[in-house]
Amino acid sequence: MKLDLGTIRSNYSGFNAIADVAVKTKNAWLDSIKLNLSSCSFFEANMAAPLYTVISRLRDDLNDVSISNVPDRVCTILRKNKFLSVFNQTELADTNQTTLPFKIFKLTAGDQFNDYLNTYMQGRGLPTMSGALTKRFRQSLFEIFLNATFHSQSESGIFVCGQFYPNKHRLDFTIADAGVGIWENVRQYRKMPNLDSCQAIQWAMIEGNTTKTGNQPGGLGLKLIKDFIQMNDGKIQIVSRFGYYEFSAICDSIQKMDNDFPGTCVNIEINTEDTSSYCLKSELKSEDIF
């Protein structure tokens, strides 16, 4: 089976195009799947994580997946961020230090994910943060990872990567899994079989709502990140099954996808033109406030 994959960016169209591949290969088993990228003029590197949710499911079903006819520019991008290494293509050195490399984490690899954050979530245009806020920010990213490991129910692991786009003044960091999706977890928890994907994401985005039980992690871990993104003029995107959610300082919207995205993806986009310095409110003295 040969499928064409065009230009992929971190937007509704990009996620929908990846989901389209999932729909067209839904029943593939012991097949040969060839992704043809000849018409892909650009591939935003952080989108390798959601693309791999589709590829991992296909491989789990014993399909042989290959990528062919990759334009030179796109090939350079995907070799630098190590995505094409999963297709046995050699890596390229990231001399400009703009990539957060593609990595597959086992569900029990929390320590390795923390090491990844400590290594790559610094520099790359990030606004100035106090030490305390930096720690809390990374804790929030770790919470997203933990909830993916628990709620996805996926044996394939968690897929992570990111990219600093200096000319676009943004840093994207993406966490994806090939699990059951937010819709399935919320539908079962609320015992509402007719709940759709958009309604499930909307419910999950309300502070305090969680499907956790006992001492298990819950929520999406986005409260502090949403507060920061609103001040930073960045963006958060959440895609799960037929739901596409986007949050920014000027937007809080959700729309139905044309295609079923297999799993859940959280993308955090940071505005690197932001020259502000950030800290926690608890760090401020009274004279700083008044």
Side-chain angles (χ1 to χ4, degrees):
M1 184 186 302
K2 182 178 179 181
L3 298 172
D4 295 329
L5 192 63
T7 296
I8 300 294
R9 301 185 187 274
S10 301
N11 55 26
Y12 177 92
S13 296
F15 283 104
N16 203 51
I18 290 174
D20 181 58
V21 174
V23 171
K24 289 177 178 175
T25 58
K26 184 177 180 179
N27 297 318
W29 184 68
L30 289 174
D31 202 345
S32 176
I33 312 296
K34 297 181 179 180
L35 299 180
N36 174 35
L37 270 65
S38 61
S39 61
C40 179
S41 61
F42 194 71
F43 193 109
E44 292 192 340
N46 60 290
M47 294 296 283
L51 177 59
Y52 199 75
T53 64
V54 178
I55 293 171
S56 68
R57 286 196 171 198
L58 288 170
R59 287 181 164 179
D60 287 346
D61 287 334
L62 305 179
N63 295 287
D64 176 48
V65 184
S66 61
I67 292 181
S68 62
N69 302 317
V70 185
D72 290 344
R73 184 186 183 193
V74 175
C75 188
T76 297
I77 292 169
L78 298 180
R79 286 175 65 190
K80 279 186 177 181
N81 84 334
K82 303 183 181 182
F83 177 69
L84 287 183
S85 65
V86 302
F87 295 94
N88 299 317
Q89 295 195 33
T90 56
E91 302 170 6
L92 285 179
D94 176 27
T95 55
N96 295 321
Q97 298 294 298
T98 58
T99 66
L100 287 75
F102 174 78
K103 189 169 178 60
I104 303 170
F105 290 93
K106 294 181 180 179
L107 300 184
T108 56
D111 289 343
Q112 288 91 332
F113 180 76
N114 260 332
D115 291 342
Y116 182 98
L117 294 180
N118 291 333
T119 300
Y120 297 107
M121 286 301 289
Q122 55 183 326
R124 293 171 174 79
L126 278 169
T128 301
M129 298 184 190
S130 68
L133 178 57
T134 297
K135 183 177 179 180
R136 285 283 303 278
F137 191 84
R138 292 181 187 175
Q139 284 175 341
S140 295
L141 295 176
F142 184 65
E143 188 177 342
I144 296 172
F145 175 83
L146 282 181
N147 279 284
T149 64
F150 176 71
H151 294 295
S152 70
Q153 303 174 33
S154 171
E155 296 292 329
S156 300
I158 310 298
F159 319 124
V160 176
C161 65
Q163 183 70 29
F164 173 37
Y165 304 98
N167 295 331
K168 300 176 183 177
H169 308 292
R170 45 181 265 237
L171 171 69
D172 283 64
F173 181 64
T174 310
I175 302 174
D177 67 72
V180 298
I182 295 172
W183 168 76
E184 181 65 20
N185 281 307
V186 174
R187 183 181 67 87
Q188 289 188 7
Y189 177 80
R190 299 187 67 194
K191 297 180 174 59
M192 297 177 65
N194 295 324
L195 196 75
D196 65 31
S197 297
C198 292
Q199 292 169 329
I201 293 175
Q202 285 177 313
W203 182 88
M205 291 305 298
I206 297 173
E207 186 180 356
N209 281 356
T210 176
T211 60
K212 79 171 184 178
T213 57
N215 295 320
Q216 299 294 342
L220 292 174
L222 289 173
K223 176 63 173 70
L224 181 140
I225 294 175
K226 283 185 70 176
D227 290 345
F228 169 76
I229 287 297
Q230 191 160 28
M231 293 184 289
N232 167 256
D233 198 23
K235 184 187 296 181
I236 295 172
Q237 297 161 314
I238 299 174
V239 181
S240 188
R241 303 299 301 269
F242 284 99
Y244 175 88
Y245 172 82
E246 188 169 302
F247 171 84
S248 69
I250 59 173
C251 170
D252 191 350
S253 64
I254 192 161
Q255 57 183 312
K256 184 179 179 180
M257 297 261 286
D258 293 329
N259 298 304
D260 187 359
F261 178 82
T264 299
C265 180
V266 177
N267 182 55
I268 298 164
E269 183 177 302
I270 297 171
N271 169 26
T272 59
E273 274 193 307
D274 187 357
T275 58
S276 301
S277 297
Y278 293 94
C279 66
L280 298 171
K281 286 183 179 179
S282 59
E283 296 180 90
L284 295 173
K285 300 175 182 179
S286 59
E287 58 263 31
D288 296 325
I289 301 173
F290 299 106

